[in-house]
Amino acid sequence: MLLLRTTRLRRRGCSGHVQAAVRFNCYSAPLVVRSFYAAAVQASGGQSSGGSAGGGWRRFFDWAHFRRVLIAFRAATLAASLYSAGYAAGVSYSARDPEGTRKEQLLAVIRNMGAVNEDGTPKLMAMSSQEVAAVRQVFPKVLRAARAELAELKAELEKKMQVDKSSAQELADEMKQLESARVQLENWREDGFLVLDDDSPNAFVHQFVPRIIFVHRGLFWRQALAQLDQPPRVGTQVTVLKAGNVWEWVEIKRVLSASEVLIRCADGSERQCAVSELRGVEKREGVVQSNEQLGLLLGHELSHVIHNHEDDRAAVLATAAGCQLVLLALLDPTGVLSLVADFCTGVLARFAVYMPTSRQHELEADATGLRIAARAGFDPCLAPRLFDRMAAHEEENSRQTGRVVPSWASTHPRSEDRAAALMEAVQGASELFERSLADQAVQDAFTSFNSSRSGGVSRFFRPR
């Protein structure tokens, strides 16, 4: 390399001083760095590289290993700097316009779920719909119960901090997380939910849009395509399969015969179509069929907030990405080994770290959600049936699509396993349920007493 660069400079007519500078930069500079490193090693009583006088541990710290350590440290520092810079940029961007940023993130989450109309507006259920009314009836009770559950967790942790002094820092970090969750729940409004007009049976919370629960209409009922059970009529809205295995809404404009009709597509075009190609839409039951099941579902989502699961998942992904960056810095980026290592690291992080952690989070949220539902006055013995219905839905979906996702490749445990785990936790939640019923009975008696007396107990506090 040195000879090639010197030859090129000679051909360009460069002076000898320039050629000498190139020789120093290409050859002498690394030797200077090596000589400084060798001097440092010899000053400590060893050899610069490869010698046996310094022992095995000195051979480990030769120039090649020392350089790899520096590269790994630099890559890890760079990953931490990028994470900090991204976090600071996000905080700064949100602080400039909190409401505007929240609205942008809200629309981004809804678009990511595909719950948008053709004009880009969110597909939300009407405020007067039965689905919204059901969530409006159950969610305030669940929210108050979640605050009570969090208060009890904090009280238990405070007692533990007084006894266990050896894990003070770890317990302090856990208390900090619970305090962050308390602030969220205290500021969570009783109408802090959105019911999306989406056919999938799903509900979730998102770390980018705090204090909002997203509930899909598919939890209550879902649409299913079925063959027409009666002769087609003009003006009827039906669906037809178009290119890309996508069903499109069309309108019947004219009945040409018993087996053929003229349809009008969404783009305004008209064409003839066989009646056998048309499908109607029928309404089928969803997975949520009672307030107990809905209470468990909403309590499950609030449990993710209590246990700080979203931040834990983000930390796992950031750590995996940082390790992957360090590995790429240590290996030759042009080699086949680095390519295989890069791919295997990503797959290993996903299937051996992220997904098992996510499944554990779901089981933890199930148990806490059951306790929250019991505190809210919903029978915990009836709530686990939610996952029995979810398992039936998954089985039906697998038959239709012909695809079965194994549990080890999913972020959620099998519905059968979740139902079995909840049945084991029913006994502890039943005590909370009975206590809730007793408290509610006292509250009802107190309210009835006040309403039966003129002025009730408030008469004792009237100014004289």
Side-chain angles (χ1 to χ4, degrees):
M1 180 63 69
L2 174 64
L3 179 61
L4 178 60
R5 294 187 179 183
T6 308
T7 304
R8 290 178 178 174
L9 290 175
R10 287 176 177 174
R11 291 178 180 176
R12 296 176 183 177
C14 296
S15 63
H17 297 288
V18 175
Q19 298 174 18
V22 172
R23 292 191 188 97
F24 177 80
N25 290 331
C26 297
Y27 179 72
S28 303
L31 290 181
V32 173
V33 176
R34 288 172 181 262
S35 63
F36 275 114
Y37 174 76
V41 174
Q42 291 177 357
S44 62
Q47 295 181 354
S48 61
S49 64
S52 59
W57 67 273
R58 288 196 180 94
R59 285 197 302 270
F60 175 78
F61 289 102
D62 62 2
W63 171 251
H65 290 107
F66 184 72
R67 182 176 58 186
R68 289 181 179 273
V69 171
L70 286 180
I71 292 175
F73 178 77
R74 184 175 59 182
T77 304
L78 178 61
S81 299
L82 290 175
Y83 182 84
S84 301
Y87 180 80
V91 171
S92 176
Y93 183 77
S94 300
R96 296 186 192 125
D97 185 12
E99 291 299 325
T101 303
R102 181 177 174 84
K103 184 177 180 180
E104 289 180 7
Q105 295 294 341
L106 178 63
L107 294 176
V109 171
I110 294 177
R111 292 193 189 100
N112 187 49
M113 295 302 300
V116 292
N117 298 307
E118 294 182 356
D119 57 355
T121 57
K123 295 175 62 177
L124 302 177
M125 298 298 294
M127 297 300 294
S128 59
S129 64
Q130 295 180 357
E131 296 77 22
V132 174
V135 180
R136 188 188 295 118
Q137 178 185 1
V138 174
F139 181 65
K141 300 178 183 179
V142 174
L143 181 58
R144 291 191 293 268
R147 293 167 181 166
E149 176 72 15
L150 179 59
E152 185 170 319
L153 290 176
K154 288 189 63 178
E156 293 177 356
L157 185 60
E158 289 174 355
K159 294 179 181 179
K160 188 175 181 180
M161 293 176 67
Q162 295 176 358
V163 176
D164 188 2
K165 301 296 183 180
S166 60
S167 306
Q169 184 60 44
E170 182 180 353
L171 295 177
D173 293 339
E174 188 175 350
M175 178 62 72
K176 185 177 179 180
Q177 293 181 358
L178 289 179
E179 179 62 23
S180 176
R182 185 196 66 80
V183 173
Q184 278 209 62
L185 293 181
E186 290 298 331
N187 293 306
W188 206 309
R189 297 172 47 178
E190 293 187 351
D191 60 349
F193 61 87
L194 287 176
V195 182
L196 306 180
D197 188 9
D198 191 278
D199 212 43
S200 60
N202 189 25
F204 64 95
V205 291
H206 202 286
Q207 61 179 345
F208 290 165
V209 191
R211 300 182 298 280
I212 289 288
I213 288 185
F214 297 87
V215 181
H216 287 196
R217 183 259 305 154
L219 286 168
F220 304 94
W221 62 272
R222 54 193 177 88
Q223 297 175 342
L225 300 180
Q227 292 186 348
L228 301 180
D229 56 356
Q230 57 184 355
R233 294 179 298 177
V234 176
T236 304
Q237 295 284 337
V238 294
T239 59
V240 64
L241 187 64
K242 66 176 186 179
N245 198 26
V246 177
W247 291 91
E248 177 188 15
W249 283 101
V250 296
E251 179 184 358
I252 298 178
K253 297 297 293 183
R254 187 189 309 167
V255 179
L256 302 179
S257 64
S259 61
E260 195 171 22
V261 294
L262 181 68
I263 61 174
R264 182 175 183 177
C265 302
D267 57 2
S269 61
E270 296 183 357
R271 65 182 180 89
Q272 295 182 6
C273 179
V275 176
S276 59
E277 298 179 8
L278 302 179
R279 294 292 184 272
V281 178
E282 64 179 12
K283 186 176 179 179
R284 294 185 180 178
E285 291 184 347
V287 297
V288 173
Q289 295 296 316
S290 66
N291 286 345
E292 285 78 11
Q293 297 172 8
L294 182 58
L296 171 60
L297 181 72
L298 297 177
H300 170 94
E301 299 305 328
L302 291 180
S303 299
H304 285 307
V305 178
I306 293 176
H307 296 296
N308 200 33
H309 287 163
E310 290 293 332
D311 290 346
D312 289 346
R313 292 172 184 173
V316 169
L317 291 177
T319 303
C323 294
Q324 197 169 358
L325 183 61
V326 171
L327 181 63
L328 287 176
L330 291 176
L331 298 177
D332 179 16
T334 62
V336 177
L337 178 61
S338 63
L339 180 62
V340 175
D342 180 28
F343 176 76
C344 292
T345 302
V347 173
L348 184 65
R350 179 172 178 80
F351 289 97
V353 180
Y354 175 72
M355 286 188 174
T357 302
S358 179
R359 290 193 293 269
Q360 185 62 35
H361 286 170
E362 295 298 327
L363 292 175
E364 186 179 26
D366 287 344
T368 306
L370 185 66
R371 292 171 55 86
I372 291 175
R375 287 181 184 274
F378 300 111
D379 191 350
C381 296
L382 303 177
R385 297 179 183 176
L386 169 69
F387 293 107
D388 294 333
R389 299 187 61 86
M390 187 70 74
H393 169 76
E394 293 173 354
E395 183 178 355
E396 179 183 356
N397 187 58
S398 299
R399 287 199 305 266
Q400 293 177 354
T401 60
R403 185 171 61 94
V404 178
V405 180
S407 58
W408 58 266
S410 175
T411 56
H412 289 63
R414 295 172 62 249
S415 297
E416 294 85 350
D417 297 337
R418 300 175 72 176
L422 282 183
M423 291 305 298
E424 296 179 358
V426 163
Q427 183 177 0
S430 297
E431 299 177 0
L432 297 176
F433 175 62
E434 295 174 358
R435 189 193 312 172
S436 173
L437 292 182
D439 294 342
Q440 186 63 41
V442 173
Q443 182 66 28
D444 292 343
F446 186 75
T447 303
S448 177
F449 174 78
N450 288 341
S451 61
S452 64
R453 301 288 296 258
S454 177
V457 295
S458 61
R459 60 189 176 91
F460 295 106
F461 300 98
R462 289 176 182 173
R464 296 180 180 178

